[in-house]
Amino acid sequence: MDKKIAVIGTGNMGKAIIQGLVSHSNDSLNSITASTRTDQEAQNIQEEFGINVFTNNQLAAKNSDIIILAVKPYLLEEVITEIIPIISQHTLIISIAAGFTIGQAEELLGGNQPFIRAMPNLAAQVGESMTGIVENSSCSDTDINDAIIIFNAIGRTEMVTEDLLHAVIGVSGSSPTLVFMLIQAMADSGVANGLTREQSLKLATQMVKGCATYLEQSDTHPEKLKDNVCTPGGTSIQMVLEAEKQNYRHTIQSAIQAGIDKSKELSK
Ligand SMILES: NC(=O)C1=CN([C@@H]2O[C@H](COP(=O)(O)OP(=O)(O)OC[C@H]3O[C@@H](n4cnc5c(N)ncnc54)[C@H](OP(=O)(O)O)[C@@H]3O)[C@@H](O)[C@H]2O)C=CC1
Ligand SMILES: O=C(O)[C@@H]1CCC=N1
C-alpha cells in the first residue's frame, strides 16, 4: 500500500498495529510514523521498528493519508481536536476505541471526513487479531480496502454494520479476557493436582490453541467435536455434566452480554 500512515498511541494495540504494518510493508518505513506520550517510549518504539516516532501528534500525523487513533477512549476527543488543523478532507481517520461512535467522530470531524471504526483484539500482538470494521458514508472503496489491508496485517477482518460492533466487542474484542481466565483456571487445577505451574500453563495453552486450530480446519460443528472427546463412561462426559450443572455456557454468555451492554451504554 503506497500510503503514509500515522499511528497515534503506541500501547498494546498501537504497537501491535505498527508491528503488523512494518512486517507487511514492502515500502520504505518512512511511510509509517507514530506518536506517543513520553520521550522514552518514543525512543523505544523508534529503535524497535526503525520508524519515526514523535511526542507531538500533529508532527506525526502531518501529511498522512491514514491516521490510526490507538489511544484510550477518554483521550479521543482531545487527540482528534489536536489533529483537525493538519488533516485534509481526504485523510482517512481510523479509531479502534470501544464506545466512540461514528456519530461522535462526525460531530468533531464533520460528516464529510472519511472515518472508520475498527475493533481488533489483543492477539494483534502475534498477528492473530480478529477485527470488525465499519465505515462512515464518506469512505470510498479505496478507504475501506486500505482499512482491510491494515487490519489483515494483524490478523483477520470482518466488515459489519455499526450496530453489530457491540457484539463484535463482546465476542472477539473483549473476550480474550475470558480465554486467559479459562487457561489460568485450568492451570490452577493442574497445579492443585501436582503439575508444576509451568507444565500446567503449557498444557492448557497448547490445548486451547490446538482446539481453535482443529475447529477452524475441521469445518465441523463444535458440539460434534465436544461429543467426539467423550468416551462412554469416561472422564470427559463427567466434566461436561458438571460444567452444565454449573451453568458453564450460560456463565460465558452472561459475561459476554455484560460487555455488549457496556459497549451500548458507552456509545450513548
Ligand atoms: N487492549 C485491548 O485489548 C484492546 C483495546 N482497544 C482499544 O484500543 C485503544 C488503546 O488501547 P490500549 O492499546 O490497550 O491502551 P494503552 O494504554 O496500552 O495504549 C495507549 C497509548 O497511547 C499513549 N498516549 C497517551 N496519551 C497520548 C496522547 N495524548 N497522544 C498520543 N499517545 C498518547 C499511551 O502512552 P502512556 O502509556 O505513556 O500513557 C500509550 O502508549 C483503546 O481505545 C481501546 O478501547 C481495542 C481492542 C482491544
Ligand atoms: O476493554 C475495552 O474497553 C477494550 C475494548 C475491547 C478490548 N478492550
Side-chain angles (χ1 to χ4, degrees):
M1 195 197 327
D2 187 22
K3 295 276 165 74
K4 187 173 181 306
I5 304 172
V7 179
I8 310 290
T10 60
N12 294 308
M13 301 309 295
K15 199 170 153 183
I17 292 168
I18 293 167
Q19 166 78 63
L21 290 173
V22 166
S23 56
H24 283 79
S25 171
N26 298 321
D27 312 320
S28 156
L29 294 183
N30 290 333
S31 62
I32 304 167
T33 58
S35 63
T36 191
R37 198 174 57 83
T38 64
D39 289 333
Q40 184 59 57
E41 177 68 356
Q43 195 184 327
N44 292 345
I45 299 288
Q46 192 150 324
E47 280 170 10
E48 187 171 351
F49 298 107
I51 61 169
N52 287 324
V53 187
F54 302 83
T55 50
N56 178 313
N57 293 332
Q58 290 194 343
L59 281 181
K62 205 166 177 197
N63 301 322
S64 293
D65 301 297
I66 301 170
I67 300 172
I68 303 171
L69 305 172
V71 293
K72 290 291 188 195
Y74 68 88
L75 284 170
L76 264 188
E77 189 170 335
E78 179 186 318
V79 170
I80 288 178
T81 308
E82 211 179 332
I83 60 170
I84 282 174
I86 53 94
I87 61 177
S88 88
Q89 63 187 36
H90 300 298
T91 313
L92 171 62
I93 312 291
I94 301 179
S95 160
I96 60 167
F100 187 81
T101 64
I102 287 176
Q104 286 169 288
E106 289 182 343
E107 263 181 45
L108 294 167
L109 291 161
N112 294 328
Q113 191 75 39
F115 178 80
I116 280 179
R117 277 187 78 185
M119 183 45 57
N121 69 28
L122 196 61
Q125 295 266 352
V126 290
E128 291 287 351
S129 175
M130 181 66 233
T131 304
I133 298 176
V134 52
E135 80 283 7
N136 79 345
S137 57
S138 297
C139 284
S140 63
D141 288 348
T142 305
D143 291 329
I144 296 168
N145 202 38
D146 285 347
I148 291 172
I149 290 171
I150 288 169
F151 289 100
N152 275 344
I154 55 163
R156 294 185 183 182
T157 51
E158 183 75 18
M159 296 301 300
V160 291
T161 51
E162 192 171 28
D163 57 327
L164 288 177
L165 210 59
H166 304 297
V168 170
I169 288 172
V171 175
S172 59
S174 291
S175 279
T177 48
L178 302 183
V179 174
F180 293 131
M181 289 165 77
L182 173 73
I183 291 173
Q184 175 64 17
M186 288 178 161
D188 281 346
S189 297
V191 172
N193 285 276
L195 291 172
T196 66
R197 172 65 59 185
E198 197 187 4
Q199 286 174 320
S200 209
L201 264 179
K202 181 178 169 187
L203 263 64
T205 304
Q206 173 59 23
M207 181 277 297
V208 169
K209 185 177 154 194
C211 288
T213 305
Y214 180 36
L215 176 61
E216 185 179 68
Q217 291 182 5
S218 68
D219 199 24
T220 307
H221 195 285
E223 193 66 32
K224 167 77 176 119
L225 296 184
K226 183 215 82 184
D227 287 352
N228 288 352
V229 183
C230 296
T231 304
T235 56
S236 310
I237 191 64
Q238 289 306 318
M239 287 173 58
V240 170
L241 293 183
E242 181 60 20
E244 296 291 23
K245 198 165 124 193
Q246 303 294 340
N247 276 333
Y248 180 64
R249 297 182 213 223
H250 181 71
T251 302
I252 294 163
Q253 288 154 357
S254 304
I256 290 177
Q257 193 59 47
I260 292 172
D261 291 347
K262 184 66 182 179
S263 171
K264 288 181 179 170
E265 183 193 320
L266 290 172
S267 299
K268 279 181 187 153

